[in-house]
Amino acid sequence: MPKDKKTILTGDRPTGNLHLGHYVGSLANRVKLQQEYESYIIIADVQALTTHWEKDENLSRDVYQIVSDYLAVGIDPEISTIFVQSMIPEIHELTMYYSLFTTVNVLRHNPTIKTEAAQHGMNDMTYGFLGYPVSQAADITIFKADLVPVGEDQIPHIELARKIVRRFNDLYQPVLVEPQVLLGDVPRLVGMDGKEKMSKSLNNAIFLADDAQQVKEKVGNAVTDPARIRKSDPGHPEICTVYAYHQVFNLNELEEIEQACRQGKIGCVECKKRMAGKINELLDPMRERRQKYLDKPELLRDILMEGTKKAHRAAKETMLEVRTAMKINYF
Ligand code: TRP
């Protein structure tokens, strides 16, 4: 039966608060597209355990934290389906079937796996960690997703999912859909320290849950052009972290700020103040929405349970087709 709407699937590992990098990389797209697409958002708790299996004590807190981040940015639980990965056993079953024809070498060469293994100091990768992109392919394809809004680091995983779909459809029956990546307007946002990527583990992030004062302090400590000591020193916006943020969050004043910086007419303090103001303008409505859920944990729980039930139904349907295609249907 042809679907009347195309499907989106995307999600995150629950490993702490979401930040501005997540917002411009993927969350903004999810909010924008949720009316137009059937949208599924996966909270990838099992994937989080591939690096944190010994530290499971915060898992439940982190799952609820991410639900409140989603609701705060404007994901509407009436139209988007938010669910938990571990509660859909069919995803794990499908992962096993995909792993039958996915080679270890392909996984070893995945650049995101390599970077993360190095980041976590793994010299001997676990089977589960090396294989999580296979599980991610199952996350995506079990919902027959057409589109996956993610940041740049996820591209190798979506590429793998596409390969797996082609292979499966060719080996068995053409039941799966090849997903496409949708990158955000800013696929990678630099951190407050000017390092290449905003990230919780690099300790350079502005979180969506930060209050106005925290934002001011973080922007105040951001790295700028080291050649500028006095306000009158001509600046070099192209190497300044705060300018990089103006390029994303303050297009209206961009030209004026660039010129004033080059001519030594605006100081870093003033420039940072305007930036913090812009970020707080963006976060204010999120703070308001978050407030509504803050003292209603049972509401978050209901949203998650309903979403998980709905996702489970959809996953079961695909698995019937998958098993039939693979002739795993004996009685
Ligand atoms: N790998 C993603 C991350 O690190 C999380 C994720 C799990 C995901 N399954 C997914 C993203 C499916 C998109 C689609 O944030």
Side-chain angles (χ1 to χ4, degrees):
M1 209 174 48
K3 300 183 284 183
D4 49 343
K5 269 187 182 177
K6 290 198 168 210
T7 302
I8 277 181
L9 181 129
T10 185
D12 306 273
R13 301 177 193 181
T15 50
N17 304 356
L18 295 179
H19 54 62
L20 282 180
H22 293 114
Y23 184 73
V24 293
S26 167
L27 294 167
N29 265 338
R30 301 182 201 177
V31 175
K32 193 167 77 191
L33 298 174
Q34 62 183 340
Q35 308 275 357
E36 199 184 322
Y37 288 79
E38 175 82 36
S39 294
Y40 288 94
I41 302 180
I42 186 167
I43 303 180
D45 57 341
V46 181
Q47 193 178 109
L49 288 171
T50 63
T51 54
H52 288 66
W53 65 90
E54 289 166 309
K55 295 187 213 131
D56 57 357
E57 63 275 4
N58 294 328
L59 199 57
S60 171
R61 182 201 66 190
D62 289 345
V63 165
Y64 280 101
Q65 173 63 45
I66 212 164
V67 181
S68 44
D69 276 332
Y70 289 157
L71 300 173
V73 296
I75 286 170
D76 178 351
E78 297 287 325
I79 51 177
S80 290
T81 306
I82 304 173
F83 70 99
V84 196
Q85 187 186 35
S86 61
M87 304 300 282
I88 317 285
E90 288 76 6
I91 289 180
H92 311 299
E93 181 187 357
L94 187 56
T95 303
M96 185 63 218
Y97 297 156
Y98 288 168
S99 74
L100 302 174
F101 57 83
T102 305
T103 67
V104 172
N105 259 335
V106 162
L107 296 168
R108 273 195 194 286
H109 289 121
N110 180 308
T112 300
I113 285 284
K114 284 194 202 164
T115 311
E116 288 174 354
Q119 255 174 22
H120 292 280
M122 294 180 189
N123 37 33
D124 191 11
M125 278 181 256
T126 63
Y127 167 56
F129 175 78
L130 180 67
Y132 89 70
V134 182
S135 160
Q136 183 157 336
D139 298 340
I140 297 167
T141 55
I142 208 163
F143 298 100
K144 299 192 175 173
D146 302 282
L147 208 59
V148 189
V150 278
E152 206 176 40
D153 58 326
Q154 299 296 304
I155 293 176
H157 300 340
I158 317 307
E159 275 306 314
L160 177 69
R162 292 166 62 86
K163 255 193 214 148
I164 288 179
V165 167
R166 289 197 291 265
R167 194 76 217 283
F168 183 100
N169 286 348
D170 190 42
L171 277 170
Y172 309 112
Q173 296 278 322
V175 297
L176 300 174
V177 173
E178 236 182 277
Q180 289 206 355
V181 165
L182 177 69
L183 290 180
D185 294 341
V186 187
R188 188 203 288 154
L189 186 67
V190 290
M192 282 281 106
D193 52 0
K195 294 247 173 69
E196 56 184 308
K197 188 183 162 191
M198 178 172 280
S199 143
K200 185 190 164 208
S201 49
L202 297 174
N203 207 8
N204 62 9
I206 294 182
F207 296 105
L208 303 178
D210 280 348
D211 64 32
Q213 190 53 33
Q214 284 170 311
V215 170
K216 276 186 202 147
E217 280 166 24
K218 288 182 181 179
V219 176
N221 290 326
V223 177
T224 54
D225 175 2
R228 292 195 85 190
I229 296 161
R230 275 171 298 258
K231 178 180 157 187
S232 56
D233 295 335
H236 305 86
E238 63 281 0
I239 59 159
C240 176
T241 312
V242 180
Y243 183 71
Y245 277 70
H246 281 292
Q247 283 177 309
V248 177
F249 299 104
N250 193 11
L251 288 178
N252 282 343
E253 294 180 331
L254 193 64
E255 256 193 62
E256 179 212 328
I257 286 177
E258 186 197 339
Q259 302 240 335
C261 174
R262 285 194 197 286
Q263 296 163 359
K265 287 186 179 151
I266 180 174
C268 294
V269 173
E270 165 68 15
C271 186
K272 285 175 166 178
K273 209 168 124 192
R274 292 208 210 168
M275 183 73 274
K278 279 288 156 191
I279 294 176
N280 278 327
E281 253 174 52
L282 173 74
L283 298 184
D284 271 340
M286 300 186 196
R287 291 175 181 136
E288 247 170 67
R289 273 193 294 263
R290 187 188 302 275
Q291 198 57 40
K292 280 197 298 198
Y293 293 101
L294 225 48
D295 26 57
K296 297 197 191 84
E298 68 287 352
L299 205 54
L300 296 184
R301 186 167 167 273
D302 289 350
I303 288 170
L304 205 51
M305 268 174 50
E306 281 309 310
T308 302
K309 259 193 227 161
K310 183 173 165 208
H312 199 180
R313 279 197 298 273
K316 278 190 206 161
E317 272 179 36
T318 304
M319 279 318 283
L320 271 181
E321 293 179 67
V322 163
R323 280 188 218 112
T324 308
M326 295 180 73
K327 306 202 170 44
I328 306 181
N329 53 347
Y330 313 116
F331 19 74

